[in-house]
Amino acid sequence: MYKDDKMTPMERLGAFMTGEPMDRILIMPFCVSIAHRVLGMTHREKRSSARNQADAQFACYDRYGNDLLIIEYGLHGLGSALGTKMNDPEDSVPAITEHVLKDLNQIDDLDFSLTKLDKDPWFQSTLEATKLCIQEKGTEVPTGVLISGPFTAASSIYPMDKMLKASRKEPELLHKLIRKCTDALKEIYLEYIKAGAFILQCDPIASGTILRESQYVEFVKPYATELSEMITAVGGVNAYHICGNTRSIVNEMQETGASMISVDNIVDMEFVKERIGDQIPILGNVDPVGVLLLGSREEIFEAVRIAIAKSYDSPSGYILASGCDITQNVPVENVDYFMEAGRYFGKMPLDLEKIGRP
């Protein structure tokens, strides 16, 4: 147990899910891209082995006492397994250099069996890392797996700009690609759930900043709903995050049947609370760049206070989180401040005067 807490994250999460008293609010900074920095290795070293991936999360937990370990299958895992080419930087997140699919008429040429566990080394490594986290820390802190949603998975196979054009000119073929991605993701999600992990379904390319609401409803919502239904059917937990402006689709996101909804920092938490807070727990949403990367300790404290003040009374529950992944360029000390502020303002019972809500 972290030295400044009175409950373990597992005890706290259990209390949150059952409405029992907690020592403080749940605090879940998305310590993914920053984790190798906390451990003191390069990003390439971290992703080189399951042991390093798990140890990077343990280093974050030992330092911060955050309420969730996060292993990264990632946003491009499906495409990479199928043959999308990625770069291999020493100390940053790998990026796509060439998509495997050049023409939607060639979808049937893709061998989706390559995404299965017995054929994908990255899937094997991240599943092993997940199991290490659960075996070594699972009684104390939960583990989640960050993994793409259906639309973003498709964009790891076929370029996003071409997908947007296809949504108008070749919708049937785009649906065919997303269908295949969804079916593959079901099998991948299931392996992590069987290991005991939560699913952190991230679909940034489905953002309202990129898609119209009608496009989300047609090309994303049905497939995200299928994934949520599968996760629920096997007893899993699905935290659903979409980057960017999701004001126009936040109700649609909730209707997918996800367990929790996470929103980007550009979406006002009070708006989210008013729209869906009576139906589902909400997470968010301190700015990972403007505040956590560039902010002072005082600015981080103020951002955390505002987030809690806007969201603490959400009827189905609120979890303090960053608005997105915390990048490797964020000073590791700033996550200390984020957690310190969360413990200060989020101590239970809440001091409403302290958070500015007398």
Side-chain angles (χ1 to χ4, degrees):
M1 185 186 304
Y2 190 76
K3 60 183 177 61
D4 294 331
D5 292 333
K6 296 181 179 178
M7 301 174 77
T8 67
M10 287 296 285
E11 291 169 341
R12 193 173 297 112
L13 179 64
F16 176 84
M17 300 299 286
T18 58
E20 297 296 319
M22 300 184 291
D23 59 337
R24 61 162 172 81
I25 64 170
L26 286 160
I27 310 172
M28 296 183 178
F30 297 147
C31 293
V32 182
S33 297
I34 196 176
H36 66 287
R37 292 253 192 252
V38 180
L39 183 57
M41 62 172 53
T42 69
H43 196 283
R44 183 187 289 165
E45 287 174 320
K46 185 195 83 168
R47 61 182 186 266
S48 69
S49 73
R51 180 76 263 172
N52 285 354
Q53 293 173 61
D55 284 347
Q57 286 303 308
F58 297 158
C60 290
Y61 179 65
D62 290 344
R63 176 165 184 153
Y64 302 129
N66 47 310
D67 285 312
L68 184 67
L69 309 180
I70 304 176
I71 295 299
E72 184 180 18
Y73 174 86
L75 304 180
H76 307 315
L78 206 64
S80 178
L82 289 168
T84 286
K85 295 180 181 178
M86 309 286 295
N87 63 9
D88 186 29
E90 180 64 43
D91 206 22
S92 60
V93 178
I96 292 173
T97 59
E98 184 180 351
H99 289 82
V100 64
L101 185 63
K102 306 298 191 295
D103 186 329
L104 284 178
N105 289 295
Q106 299 172 338
I107 292 173
D108 289 334
D109 294 339
L110 297 172
D111 182 2
F112 272 84
S113 73
L114 296 173
T115 68
K116 295 181 180 294
L117 181 59
D118 62 342
K119 294 185 178 180
D120 182 4
W122 179 245
F123 186 7
Q124 296 165 11
S125 178
T126 55
L127 181 61
E128 183 183 350
T130 300
K131 291 178 178 179
L132 287 171
C133 288
I134 293 167
Q135 290 165 3
E136 297 179 23
K137 295 282 189 180
T139 59
E140 186 169 342
V141 58
T143 296
V145 175
L146 188 153
I147 186 168
S148 57
F151 203 74
T152 298
S155 76
S156 74
I157 299 167
Y158 190 62
M160 179 187 70
D161 59 331
K162 293 184 177 181
M163 287 177 60
L164 297 179
K165 291 178 183 177
S167 71
R168 302 188 304 273
K169 297 182 177 180
E170 299 177 296
E172 298 85 0
L173 287 175
L174 182 57
H175 274 293
K176 183 176 181 179
L177 177 61
I178 301 170
R179 167 82 273 147
K180 286 181 174 290
C181 289
T182 302
D183 291 343
L185 287 171
K186 285 180 182 179
E187 294 189 32
I188 296 168
Y189 284 15
L190 183 59
E191 291 296 333
Y192 293 113
I193 294 168
K194 285 162 53 179
F198 298 167
I199 297 298
L200 308 179
Q201 183 188 162
C202 296
D203 213 347
I205 307 301
S207 170
T209 307
I210 299 172
L211 300 183
R212 298 187 304 274
E213 181 180 358
S214 60
Q215 290 174 304
Y216 176 86
V217 170
E218 179 176 357
F219 293 103
V220 183
K221 185 179 178 182
Y223 304 103
T225 300
E226 277 190 40
L227 289 167
S228 290
E229 289 173 349
M230 183 279 294
I231 293 167
T232 300
V234 297
V237 174
N238 174 26
Y240 187 24
H241 176 86
I242 296 180
C243 298
N245 189 348
T246 53
R247 285 177 61 93
S248 65
I249 61 171
V250 70
N251 285 93
E252 306 288 350
M253 291 172 65
Q254 182 272 322
E255 289 173 1
T256 65
S259 309
M260 306 173 185
I261 295 295
S262 168
V263 296
D264 195 292
N265 55 277
I266 67 173
V267 182
D268 186 81
M269 288 302 296
E270 204 148 24
F271 170 83
V272 177
K273 176 180 70 176
E274 291 169 357
R275 295 295 293 270
I276 62 172
D278 62 338
Q279 301 167 75
I280 193 169
I282 58 176
L283 289 78
N285 71 339
V286 173
D287 186 344
V289 177
V291 174
L292 294 179
L293 174 61
L294 302 175
S296 64
R297 179 178 181 274
E298 291 73 21
E299 290 167 330
I300 293 170
F301 263 64
E302 180 63 5
V304 168
R305 183 194 68 77
I306 291 171
I308 295 174
K310 288 184 174 184
S311 314
Y312 77 94
D313 56 351
S314 192
S316 298
Y318 167 66
I319 297 172
L320 174 66
S322 49
C324 197
D325 180 30
I326 298 176
T327 75
Q328 63 182 27
N329 296 320
V330 169
V332 295
E333 295 81 7
N334 284 6
V335 184
D336 289 322
Y337 303 148
F338 176 83
M339 293 298 302
E340 182 185 357
R343 290 185 170 95
Y344 177 73
F345 292 114
K347 181 180 178 181
M348 293 293 191
L350 287 182
D351 183 336
L352 298 186
E353 187 171 349
K354 185 186 290 185
I355 65 171
R357 294 291 293 266

